[in-house]
C-alpha cells in the first residue's frame, strides 16, 4: 500500500474511474440482495492507488458512503469485517464526518464509537498519522480532522 508507487498519472485516472464504476455495480447488486456487510467489504477493497485526481477520490468515497449508509447492525458488521479493514474504514468515517451532512455524520459517529471499542485508539492514531495512505484513500483525513 505504501509510497513507492508514486502518484498515478492523469491518464490512468480514467482506468481507476472505470474500476470504481464496476465496483459500484457490484455493490448495488449486493445491497439489493440485503448484503450490506459484503457491500462494505467490496467498497473498502482496492481503494484507488495514490492519485491526486479528486474525481477518483470522490468517486470511491461515494461508493463507500453508499455502503456505510446501508449498515443497520453496526455490531454485526464489525463482527463480520476482517480487522484488516478497520483502519481503512476509520479513514472513510472521518471523511464522512467532514461532509457536515447530518445523516452521514450520525451514521459515521455510530460506527466510529463501536469501531474504536473494537479496534482501539490505535486505529484512530494510525488514521491520523498515515498521511501517505490517508491521502490515497480519503483525500487527507488528517487535514480534515485538524479542521474540526
Amino acid at each position: 500500500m505504501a509510497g513507492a508507487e508514486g502518484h498515478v498519472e492523469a491518464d490512468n485516472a480514467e482506468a481507476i474511474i472505470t474500476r470504481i464504476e464496476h465496483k459500484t455495480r457490484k455493490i448495488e447488486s449486493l445491497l439489493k440482495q440485503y448484503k450490506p456487510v459484503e457491500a462494505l467489504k467490496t467498497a473498502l477493497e482496492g481503494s484507488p492507488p495514490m492519485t491526486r485526481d479528486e474525481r477518483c477520490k470522490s468517486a470511491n468515497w461515494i461508493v463507500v458512503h453508499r455502503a456505510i449508509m446501508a449498515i443497520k447492525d453496526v455490531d454485526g458488521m464489525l463482527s463480520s469485517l476482517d480487522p484488516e479493514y478497520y483502519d481503512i474504514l476509520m479513514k472513510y468515517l472521518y471523511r464522512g464526518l467532514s461532509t457536515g451532512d447530518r445523516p452521514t455524520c450520525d451514521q459515521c459517529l455510530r460506527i466510529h464509537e463501536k469501531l474504536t471499542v473494537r479496534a482501539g485508539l490505535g486505529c484512530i492514531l494510525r488514521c491520523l498519522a498515515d498521511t501517505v495512505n490517508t491521502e490515497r484513500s480519503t483525500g487527507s483525513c488528517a487535514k480534515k480532522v485538524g479542521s474540526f
Side-chain angles (χ1 to χ4, degrees):
M1 281 187 119
E5 301 169 357
H7 289 281
V8 173
E9 298 297 325
D11 56 338
N12 289 334
E14 293 305 319
I16 295 168
I17 295 290
T18 301
R19 281 195 319 247
I20 293 169
E21 288 170 352
H22 175 72
K23 189 174 13 175
T24 300
R25 288 189 293 278
K26 185 175 180 181
I27 288 166
E28 288 301 326
S29 174
L30 289 167
L31 291 174
K32 287 178 185 174
Q33 297 171 40
Y34 300 102
K35 297 180 178 180
V37 175
E38 289 82 0
L40 182 60
K41 286 179 187 178
T42 302
L44 295 174
E45 288 172 354
S47 291
M50 290 184 77
T51 179
R52 293 189 188 273
D53 191 311
E54 193 58 41
R55 295 175 306 148
C56 296
K57 290 189 263 187
S58 293
N60 206 65
W61 159 244
I62 290 167
V63 170
V64 173
H65 177 260
R66 176 78 172 99
I68 285 173
M69 296 306 287
I71 299 295
K72 302 293 182 228
D73 177 13
V74 176
D75 290 319
M77 178 268 298
L78 290 174
S79 295
S80 300
L81 196 64
D82 293 328
E84 69 186 73
Y85 293 110
Y86 291 168
D87 290 359
I88 299 166
L89 177 57
M90 186 64 78
K91 292 173 190 177
Y92 281 108
L93 294 177
Y94 282 116
R95 174 130 185 189
L97 290 170
S98 75
T99 67
D101 175 62
R102 181 68 182 243
T104 300
C105 289
D106 288 348
Q107 179 72 339
C108 287
L109 285 172
R110 271 192 293 279
I111 296 171
H112 184 279
E113 176 184 22
K114 293 181 183 222
L115 178 57
T116 302
V117 169
R118 180 171 290 264
L121 295 175
C123 187
I124 296 170
L125 295 173
R126 286 186 297 276
C127 172
L128 298 176
D130 187 1
T131 57
V132 172
N133 291 320
T134 300
E135 183 72 29
R136 182 175 137 178
S137 61
T138 65
S140 193
C141 157
K143 290 178 189 170
K144 289 179 180 171
V145 172
S147 67
F148 274 93

